[in-house]
Amino acid sequence: MFGLSAAVRVYLAKEPADMRKSFDGLSALVAGALELDPLSGHLFVFINKRRDRIKILYWDRDGLAVWAKRLESGTFRLPDAAAGRVEMTTADLAALLAGIDLNTARRRHRYTRPLTPLQNSEKFSQTNEHAST
């Protein structure tokens, strides 16, 4: 597909989109329905009613780009969500495009950064503050 960094966010619109839309129409959907900035550099994924076509809108440093895929058979299986949009990882997007059902796939436990600072880092910052005064 294309190289994606971990900093890129992927937003999937849950409501079906008209696949006749291109740059301006999809940008309007991003700004209106998803309430996001189409020039943010993130990926915005749209799917049609039959779920056999997908379009991805993204800002590519100097202009908008649209990537499209049409399945010859089968459908894309969207992840379950109550909201109007779903935030996905780039790995989830790759799995979706490869035909993997994200609702039945299991994610293995991985390290996640703690939300609160560690006690050691607090002690380290306190000792540095005392050393500078």
Side-chain angles (χ1 to χ4, degrees):
M1 194 169 98
F2 36 84
L4 300 174
S5 74
V8 174
R9 292 188 174 164
V10 180
Y11 297 99
L12 170 68
K14 290 293 289 182
E15 291 298 315
D18 183 355
M19 288 293 118
R20 295 175 292 181
K21 292 183 186 285
S22 190
F23 302 99
D24 296 329
L26 293 176
S27 293
L29 285 177
V30 170
L34 300 181
E35 298 177 349
L36 296 168
D37 179 17
L39 307 181
S40 64
H42 301 304
L43 302 179
F44 304 100
V45 182
F46 300 94
I47 199 156
N48 68 338
K49 195 176 212 176
R50 289 184 296 175
R51 296 183 326 206
D52 65 344
R53 295 175 190 209
I54 198 165
K55 281 191 176 182
I56 302 173
L57 177 75
Y58 60 99
W59 179 256
D60 187 25
R61 292 187 310 228
D62 57 356
L64 287 169
V66 176
W67 185 87
K69 182 173 183 174
R70 181 187 72 197
L71 296 177
E72 293 301 320
S73 67
T75 59
F76 293 106
R77 175 87 165 114
L78 300 180
D80 292 333
R85 69 177 187 223
V86 177
E87 187 172 349
M88 308 167 62
T89 65
T90 54
D92 291 339
L93 176 60
L96 176 73
L97 294 173
I100 297 171
D101 183 356
L102 297 174
N103 295 320
T104 58
R106 285 189 357 200
R107 187 173 300 278
R108 306 287 295 171
H109 176 72
R110 296 285 189 258
Y111 171 80
T112 56
R113 189 172 178 187
L115 297 176
T116 58
L118 297 175
Q119 293 176 356
N120 292 340
S121 63
E122 289 175 355
K123 290 178 186 175
F124 181 73
S125 64
Q126 290 172 357
T127 57
N128 283 344
E129 289 172 9
H130 295 297
S132 63
T133 56

